[in-house]
Amino acid sequence: MASTSTLLMKTIFLVLIFVSFAISPATSTAPQECGSESANPCVNKAKALPLKIIAIVAILIASMIGVGAPLFSRNVSFLQPDGNIFTIIKCFASGIILGTGFMHVLPDSFEMLSSICLEENPWHKFPFSGFLAMLSGLITLAIDSMATSLYTSKNAVGIMPHGHGHGPANDVTLPIKEDDSANAQLLRYRVIAMVLELGIIVHSVVIGLSLGATSDTCTIKGLIAALCFHQMFEGMGLGGCILQAEYTNMKKFVMAFFFAVTTPFGIALGIALSTVYQDNSPKALITVGLLNACSAGLLIYMALVDLLAAEFMGPKLQGSIKMQFKCLVAALLGCGGMSIIAKWA
């Protein structure tokens, strides 16, 4: 069921891409400077290319460190998944994912879809970013819920009567497998890990594409440092979810690999398309803006509902006000860190 939910999410985002390309020709009427090279003196393709190569290597290493660190935490005694320190770190990483959705992805979508390079009608008449983020959150909820429900109904144990049907001896018991609860929780972790990775991958490709396509040397250096921290901490959140999902080592490697290479891949794609891709063209603004809105809704839902709410309402934190306070501070630090980085990325 988890694979079905992932396939459905991928289908939704592919449909969104095709729709955005289909409707973007309607925005061809735009100011003359839109879709053309900027007159900014910092724009220098020859000087920007070495910086982009450095960005690919640096972000790849940072991503690998971020997503890989939680996966090796089982070998460190004080970082066991059921320990308090791991719980606090996971809340910190969840705060980073929440901050990414609110402070990076959603504002970028609002900025792109309200650009002067798009026609007044319909882009300036309706808040598409907020609408799609809301819709994306609800669709994520539906997929999350249906995957769990289908698994539960498929593995439900029927009522088995005992006795001969006479008097008080006609007891009715409900046999429950001891590992049913653990299996259901494991499924939840796996659905969370896959849906979260999908949202992060979409966002990572978009930011990589934007960096790869730009030739503004004045901003690339700051972006490299900001994106390294961004990917490292975001990888920590994803790595914690992958660890709890208890995949085989091969599946863990594949999921970590795809996360680590998506932003470098986006940068490489942006470099390849830099001659034809203009980040201020109507088609690019609509496509990236719609993808960012959907990614923002997914990340915000996952961070609040499946990560933070599930942790705070769980038995460990409900049994300790002190741990609740520590985890809240950790989440606030994660959100605050991403808010600071939003100044540059």
Side-chain angles (χ1 to χ4, degrees), residues 130-345:
F131 175 75
L132 285 175
M134 174 185 67
L135 194 61
S136 174
L138 289 174
I139 291 173
T140 306
L141 167 65
I143 294 172
D144 200 2
S145 175
M146 286 188 290
T148 306
S149 296
L150 289 172
Y151 173 85
T152 303
S153 62
K154 181 179 178 181
N155 292 275
V157 180
I159 296 177
M160 301 292 292
H162 291 266
H164 302 284
H166 299 291
N170 189 21
D171 297 325
V172 177
T173 60
L174 182 61
I176 300 175
K177 297 179 182 178
E178 291 182 1
D179 59 342
D180 277 353
S181 177
N183 288 340
Q185 186 60 50
L186 183 60
L187 174 84
R188 293 287 302 122
Y189 285 143
R190 290 183 174 179
V191 171
I192 290 170
M194 286 190 293
V195 176
L196 179 61
E197 170 142 6
L198 179 60
I200 290 176
I201 282 178
V202 171
H203 164 58
S204 297
V205 171
V206 168
I207 61 176
L209 181 64
S210 300
L211 175 59
T214 187
S215 298
D216 189 342
T217 57
C218 296
T219 60
I220 288 179
K221 293 179 181 179
L223 277 174
I224 294 174
L227 289 177
C228 282
F229 283 105
H230 178 280
Q231 291 299 106
M232 180 183 294
F233 290 120
E234 199 171 52
M236 287 174 59
L238 177 61
C241 293
I242 294 174
L243 177 64
Q244 288 187 311
E246 296 184 8
Y247 288 116
T248 62
N249 289 334
M250 178 56 68
K251 287 185 178 179
K252 289 178 183 178
F253 171 79
V254 170
M255 294 185 74
F257 172 79
F258 273 106
F259 167 77
V261 301
T262 46
T263 301
F265 169 77
I267 296 173
L269 184 62
I271 294 173
L273 298 176
S274 59
T275 56
V276 295
Y277 176 87
Q278 298 296 331
D279 57 6
N280 62 342
S281 68
K283 182 176 291 188
L285 288 169
I286 293 172
T287 302
V288 177
L290 293 179
L291 286 173
N292 272 340
C294 289
S295 182
L298 190 154
L299 292 175
I300 291 169
Y301 169 86
M302 296 299 294
L304 283 176
V305 179
D306 280 339
L307 298 177
L308 288 173
E311 205 68 55
F312 275 85
M313 296 303 171
K316 175 179 285 190
L317 294 192
Q318 284 297 304
S320 173
I321 297 295
K322 187 177 180 180
M323 270 297 293
Q324 288 185 41
F325 178 76
K326 290 180 180 179
C327 288
L328 179 60
V329 171
L332 289 173
L333 287 175
C335 291
M338 295 311 295
S339 300
I340 294 173
I341 293 176
K343 181 179 179 181
W344 297 281

Side-chain angles (χ1 to χ4, degrees), residues 10-54:
K10 290 180 179 178
T11 303
I12 291 171
F13 280 109
L14 286 174
V15 169
L16 177 63
I17 293 173
F18 285 121
V19 169
S20 62
F21 273 111
I23 63 178
S24 58
T27 62
S28 56
T29 303
Q32 187 174 0
E33 65 271 15
C34 295
S36 60
E37 283 289 344
S38 172
N40 188 342
C42 290
V43 174
N44 188 320
K45 289 186 177 181
K47 292 182 178 180
L49 184 59
L51 293 175
K52 295 176 186 178
I53 302 299
I54 294 173

